[in-house]
Amino acid sequence: MEYKSIGYKKIVKISVICSIILALISSFVFADETAVSDDKIYNNVLNILVFIQKYSWPIVTLVFIYAIYQYYVIGSEVVEHKVLGRRLIVGVAIFMVIVQSLPLIYSFLTIK
């Protein structure tokens, strides 16, 4: 039973590149101050989103390493783990794009 892994590799590469670009853009935009408006609640929510964005990288890296381990090492013996590892890899990559874009989306939505 063969698996075509070309499709998911493109998705993962594009997602990782997009998340890195979004992280860089966000770090330039919010480098000085994360105040979007005069409302304290809006600013606190944005601060939380920026905090989650910055500190999600170490956790996601560990999960990504586990997913690669499950795909390549365990998946070489059990096909079910290979499929689960592939799903986890794609899920982590897409999750990172979402997490990296949340502060920018929130700031665009709250600007008056």
Side-chain angles (χ1 to χ4, degrees):
M1 192 179 231
E2 290 185 33
Y3 286 98
K4 295 184 180 182
S5 59
I6 295 171
Y8 97 92
K9 287 183 181 180
K10 288 181 183 178
I11 292 171
V12 170
K13 285 180 185 177
I14 291 170
S15 298
V16 169
I17 290 171
C18 286
S19 64
I20 291 171
I21 290 171
L22 285 169
L24 291 174
I25 290 171
S26 182
S27 67
F28 286 129
V29 170
F30 300 119
D32 184 30
E33 188 176 323
T34 58
V36 175
S37 67
D38 295 333
D39 193 5
K40 219 174 183 184
I41 295 173
Y42 286 151
N43 291 336
N44 287 338
V45 170
L46 184 62
N47 286 333
I48 291 170
L49 289 175
V50 169
F51 179 81
I52 291 170
Q53 178 194 26
K54 286 181 182 178
Y55 294 106
S56 66
W57 283 102
I59 296 167
V60 169
T61 302
L62 292 174
V63 173
F64 198 70
I65 289 171
Y66 172 73
I68 291 173
Y69 171 76
Q70 188 173 11
Y71 180 73
Y72 286 110
V73 177
I74 300 174
S76 65
E77 297 175 4
V78 182
V79 178
E80 181 181 323
H81 287 285
K82 190 167 192 160
V83 173
L84 291 175
R86 183 185 320 173
R87 287 182 186 169
L88 190 58
I89 290 170
V90 172
V92 166
I94 292 172
F95 175 75
M96 276 309 291
V97 171
I98 293 169
V99 166
Q100 297 303 315
S101 65
L102 278 178
L104 292 171
I105 293 170
Y106 182 77
S107 65
F108 287 132
L109 292 176
T110 57
I111 291 177
K112 296 180 181 178

